[in-house]
Amino acid sequence: MPFDVFHLRDRVVQEYRDYVESFVHVLDPRIDDFVRERLAKGELWPEAVLQLNPAYEPGPTLGELAASGAITADTARFFGSGLRLHRHQAEAIAAAGRGEDYMVSTGTGSGKSLTYLVPIFDAILRDDPARHSVRALIVYP
């Protein structure tokens, strides 16, 4: 029998809805009506979204980048020498190594974080890693 992910989602949402509604006790009838209406409309549980993760073009491993001199062997060892990058990650790391500005705009789960963490770590290892100072500032939305 095939697995029905949408049925599972409906069951999980219903269980969560029952749980949430079990402790929502609003004394003011107008506010209670408003809250119940919002809950009935699914305010806390939007419709299911199905997305496919694209296959990203493979790139070199971190070990291969280290062998070519693009990053240090210690950087590759820290993140995992056998870690195979996607092409967009390797291109971003190469741009960083050349001191160029770059922007990576890819989907969720595509490894964007490595496109700046690897170059930051590598730059620190190449420039007196014992020096204790701010080397990078990472701002997340």
Side-chain angles (χ1 to χ4, degrees):
M1 178 172 182
F3 181 73
D4 185 345
V5 69
F6 296 104
H7 177 71
L8 173 64
R9 180 248 178 222
D10 292 343
R11 272 192 20 232
V12 170
V13 166
Q14 187 58 52
E15 288 177 19
Y16 181 63
R17 170 183 253 149
D18 293 343
Y19 167 73
V20 169
E21 290 177 352
S22 74
F23 61 80
V24 175
H25 302 288
V26 180
L27 297 179
D28 184 304
R30 293 169 300 157
I31 296 173
D32 187 57
D33 287 345
F34 175 80
V35 170
R36 299 284 168 197
E37 177 186 318
R38 301 308 284 182
L39 291 174
K41 287 184 177 179
E43 189 75 19
L44 296 179
W45 31 82
E47 289 301 313
V49 175
L50 179 62
Q51 295 177 324
L52 299 176
N53 228 3
Y56 297 101
E57 189 173 328
T61 65
L62 288 176
E64 291 167 344
L65 287 183
S68 74
I71 62 173
T72 67
D74 287 337
T75 298
R77 210 172 5 265
F78 179 80
F79 288 97
S81 295
L83 178 65
R84 180 152 312 275
L85 300 173
H86 299 305
R87 188 181 92 190
H88 66 270
Q89 293 170 309
E91 289 174 349
I93 291 167
R98 293 188 300 271
E100 298 173 359
D101 295 333
Y102 62 96
M103 180 182 83
V104 178
S105 176
T106 60
T108 300
S110 65
K112 290 182 290 293
S113 297
L114 286 176
T115 67
Y116 57 86
L117 291 175
V118 170
I120 289 170
F121 190 85
D122 194 62
I124 291 169
L125 289 182
R126 291 176 185 269
D127 182 30
D128 188 17
R131 181 169 48 98
H132 297 280
S133 64
V134 176
R135 309 287 187 97
L137 180 63
I138 300 171
V139 180
Y140 279 92

